[in-house]
């Protein structure tokens, strides 16, 4: 018999930790709601799955109880893509990455925005080729914007701030996203937006 249950797509991952990992408990709770559906592994350390719309809040609560984090799918700031923090949580700024993710993931924007974080200049989190990239260098943070990972015109982002403290980093990233939310055209990708307004104008808005 045809299943007419209304479904909603959500994004799920295991949160920011030492690598993008899932436990057996987390896999089991995901499997419980898969039925005959498939789960989609995205390039951005998220899994997409569809769940019944009328049970959304209860299912998300159950996922969160198992340590999963849930995010909306569509034109929102994605959860922070990170490196594996191989040199240790404190040394590589995991608390800063978690706080940044808590502040920005899920904010509505004109087009899906991908932020990335890496704990040292080796750059395993690929901050240079994402919309907003954070690189920890010694005890401070460098910020890149406007990277483009797809297409034949893929480019590295531009370094716009160096030696930021965590608080300075949060404030600058908040301002960039706010500006994009307010002045970005509908479905205008972030790198196009940055090129349209120009780095000079962007910088003026950040002061
Ligand atoms: S970016 Fe640095 S800290 Fe992060 S996984 Fe790579 S080498 Fe390790």
């Amino acid at each position: 018999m045809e299943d007419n249950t209304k479904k909603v797509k959500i994004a799920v991952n295991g949160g920011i930790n030492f690598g993008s990992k899932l436990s057996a408990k987390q896999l089991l709770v995901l499997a419980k709601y898969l039925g005959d559906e498939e789960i989609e592994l995205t390039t951005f350390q998220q899994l997409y799955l569809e769940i019944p719309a009328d049970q959304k809040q209860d299912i998300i609560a159950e996922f969160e109880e198992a340590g999963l984090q849930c995010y909306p799918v569509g034109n929102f700031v994605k959860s922070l893509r990170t490196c594996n923090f191989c040199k240790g949580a404190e040394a590589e700024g995991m608390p800063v990455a978690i706080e940044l993710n808590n502040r920005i993931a899920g904010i509505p924007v004109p087009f899906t925005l991908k932020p990335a974080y890496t704990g040292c200049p080796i750059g395993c989190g690929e901050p240079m080729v994402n919309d907003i990239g954070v690189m920890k260098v010694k005890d401070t943070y460098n910020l890149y914007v406007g990277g483009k990972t797809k297409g034949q015109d893929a480019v590295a982002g531009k370094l716009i701030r160096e030696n930021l403290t965590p608080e300075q980093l949060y404030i600058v990233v908040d301002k960039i996203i706010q500006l994009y939310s307010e002045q970005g055209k509908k479905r205008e990708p972030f790198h196009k937006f940055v090129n349209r307004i120009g780095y000079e104008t962007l910088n003026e808005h950040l002061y």
Side-chain angles (χ1 to χ4, degrees):
M1 197 169 69
E2 194 181 342
D3 182 2
N4 291 321
T5 310
K6 188 169 176 229
K7 299 278 184 73
V8 59
K9 190 181 272 189
I10 61 167
V12 176
N13 65 25
I16 293 176
N17 215 315
F18 297 104
S20 197
K21 298 174 184 169
L22 294 172
S23 67
K25 181 181 175 189
Q26 290 166 344
L27 289 170
L28 283 170
V29 76
L30 288 172
K32 183 173 161 188
Y33 292 100
L34 268 186
D36 294 330
E37 304 286 337
E38 294 175 323
I39 201 162
E40 180 183 347
L41 173 61
T42 73
T43 56
F44 214 70
Q45 299 177 339
Q46 289 186 336
L47 300 169
Y48 283 174
L49 74 159
E50 292 193 333
I51 56 175
D54 60 354
Q55 298 176 52
K56 182 179 167 191
Q57 295 313 324
D58 290 343
I59 293 172
I60 286 177
E62 193 175 342
F63 285 178
E64 289 175 347
E65 173 69 26
L68 294 165
Q69 294 211 346
C70 304
Y71 303 96
V73 172
N75 294 330
F76 300 93
V77 179
K78 305 282 276 181
S79 53
L80 197 64
R81 178 192 170 102
T82 66
C83 72
N84 288 352
F85 302 96
C86 70
K87 294 171 187 165
E90 289 301 324
E92 306 310 334
M94 193 193 290
V96 173
I98 291 171
E99 173 62 19
L100 186 61
N101 186 62
N102 287 342
R103 293 172 77 111
I104 65 175
I107 293 176
V109 279
F111 193 71
T112 308
L113 185 145
K114 297 176 177 177
Y117 177 98
T118 208
C120 83
I122 291 174
C124 305
E126 302 179 352
M128 306 285 297
V129 291
N130 282 286
D131 293 315
I132 294 177
V134 179
M135 179 183 284
K136 185 169 190 283
V137 182
K138 296 188 178 159
D139 292 329
T140 59
Y141 299 83
N142 290 354
L143 181 63
Y144 298 82
V145 299
K148 182 175 185 296
T149 186
K150 292 194 285 190
Q152 291 183 317
D153 56 346
V155 289
K158 194 173 165 83
L159 178 65
I160 60 159
R161 286 290 184 283
E162 283 182 284
N163 306 320
L164 297 172
T165 64
E167 278 307 320
Q168 289 170 331
L169 174 70
Y170 304 146
I171 290 169
V172 176
V173 172
D174 282 348
K175 282 184 178 177
I176 292 171
I177 293 172
Q178 189 182 354
L179 185 68
Y180 179 45
S181 298
E182 289 172 358
Q183 297 192 15
K185 295 177 185 170
K186 194 176 176 193
R187 295 193 56 76
E188 180 179 34
F190 181 73
H191 74 97
K192 275 194 178 172
F193 166 73
V194 171
N195 287 334
R196 175 169 64 79
I197 67 165
Y199 284 93
E200 209 171 302
T201 307
L202 177 67
N203 257 318
E204 282 167 15
H205 279 278
L206 301 184
Y207 283 111

